[in-house]
Amino acid sequence: MRKAMKNLYHGVKIGNVKLDGNLFLAPVAGYSDRAFRSVCWDCGVDFCYTEMVSSEALVRGSEKTEALMARASNEKAYAVQIFGGNAETMAQAAKIVLEKTNCELIDINGGCPVPKIIKTGAGSVLTKEPEKLLEIVRAVKNASAEYTASHPERGEVPVTVKIRSGWDEAHITFLEAAQAALEAGADAITLHARTRAQGYAGVADWQKLSDLVDFVRKSKRPIPVFGSGDAFTPEDCARMLEQTDCDAVMFARGAMGNPFIFKQTRQFLTKNRYDDICASERIAAGFRQLDALLEESRDGTEEWACREMRKAFSAYSRGIPGGSRLRALIVQANSRKDYENIFSGFLENMSICK
């Protein structure tokens, strides 16, 4: 164990940004929207990332894409993650991010394994092609510096990078990608310790995360390193911090339907215990998320927000007795009243949280 348990939870400094803690919500397409991030802040998260934002769509003026960058009303600090395979377009997109938001930092996606992202030369391709990653990070860093020069009151916004272990087991390139990010001036690096070929299957190799931590700390620019992959419980987070000595942990799938993991993990890291979350509390969080989504409904309709919440309420129902029956009803919900009807009878038969 590299650190005593009492020291595992601590603040993090990314460039000129200071965060109070080291438990983050990862950028997850279709999940880490403003409404869910708002609930995560209620549940003790220390920093959040938006869903990944297309640089091409942003430069073309897509209002739908721009909406992904909006800050939640209670969000103390957040990052906008952008993706793309063209350095000039990424730089233009970064300037738009800075003009349209007051985000604390910009993150570059160098790890997404989804084919439609890879086909654009973005995502995991950037881990596979370190020279391209260097070009893109440098372009975004320059864009941030240029924006600061004309808006000195803002202060330069740090630029960070998320990468994977490599393309496949025959092409493990995370150290080369990290070196490129360092040379280009990245302010932090996150490693999802799986290859592109693994996708989200198999087991994350935390030894590679430990190797990256050692590599970066021995470099001329010892920036923070964050870990991602297989953080599903407070115990998982503690093990990742202990085994790899990374500076922070990103929860992705582990937070879906379970924003309480941030509160529980902080308790575990500081008190070596954590409170259980009962079913009614989980469902209440789902309704808070639904209400936040209704407030920002993109097409002004209740039905859009309620359809969007189907996957979220399905996630909140995981592990609840009778959850499969609930999910069969959830996928048909089109209004808040539908959700109220679905859960009212169910909760009447359950114990209420004390």
Side-chain angles (χ1 to χ4, degrees), residues 132-333:
K132 188 175 185 180
L133 178 64
L134 187 151
E135 182 183 5
I136 287 175
V137 175
R138 182 170 287 162
V140 174
K141 280 288 292 185
N142 289 340
S144 179
E146 289 170 10
Y147 187 85
T148 299
S150 57
H151 301 78
E153 71 284 353
R154 173 72 183 266
E156 188 166 344
V157 173
V159 175
T160 62
V161 182
K162 189 176 183 186
I163 60 175
R164 283 211 167 214
S165 299
W167 191 251
D168 53 32
E169 286 303 319
H171 301 86
I172 302 298
T173 54
F174 69 97
L175 292 180
E176 291 86 343
Q179 181 60 40
L182 287 167
E183 290 181 16
D187 296 289
I189 300 173
T190 300
L191 176 66
H192 183 150
R194 284 184 171 87
T195 64
R196 188 280 318 171
Q198 281 182 281
Y200 300 97
V203 178
D205 185 354
W206 290 354
Q207 180 56 52
K208 289 183 173 61
L209 177 57
S210 180
D211 292 343
L212 177 61
V213 170
D214 290 340
F215 177 80
V216 171
R217 290 189 181 162
K218 291 175 181 176
S219 72
K220 295 179 181 179
R221 295 185 60 248
I223 59 177
V225 174
F226 310 142
S228 178
D230 290 353
F232 295 105
T233 67
E235 292 87 349
D236 291 337
C237 179
R239 285 194 296 271
M240 181 185 287
L241 291 167
E242 291 166 355
Q243 293 175 20
T244 72
D245 209 23
C246 64
D247 296 285
V249 172
M250 278 193 187
F251 290 91
R253 289 176 293 166
M256 300 304 100
N258 185 28
F260 315 99
I261 197 166
F262 300 106
K263 170 186 175 182
Q264 290 178 317
T265 302
R266 183 183 301 184
Q267 287 180 320
F268 187 65
L269 296 182
T270 58
K271 301 178 181 178
N272 204 28
R273 53 162 293 275
Y274 57 90
D275 299 325
D276 291 331
I277 305 298
C278 68
S280 57
E281 189 173 354
R282 293 169 64 87
I283 294 170
F287 274 102
R288 290 200 304 275
Q289 185 175 339
L290 171 59
D291 289 339
L293 200 59
L294 286 168
E295 290 181 8
E296 63 177 81
S297 181
R298 293 175 189 169
D299 61 3
T301 67
E302 180 181 15
E303 184 175 354
W304 173 84
C306 290
R307 284 178 177 270
E308 285 291 301
M309 274 299 295
R310 289 174 178 177
K311 63 179 181 292
F313 264 122
S314 293
Y316 280 111
S317 70
R318 286 199 307 264
I320 295 177
S324 59
R325 177 169 58 86
L326 282 173
R327 287 188 286 277
L329 299 172
I330 287 168
V331 296
Q332 302 176 53

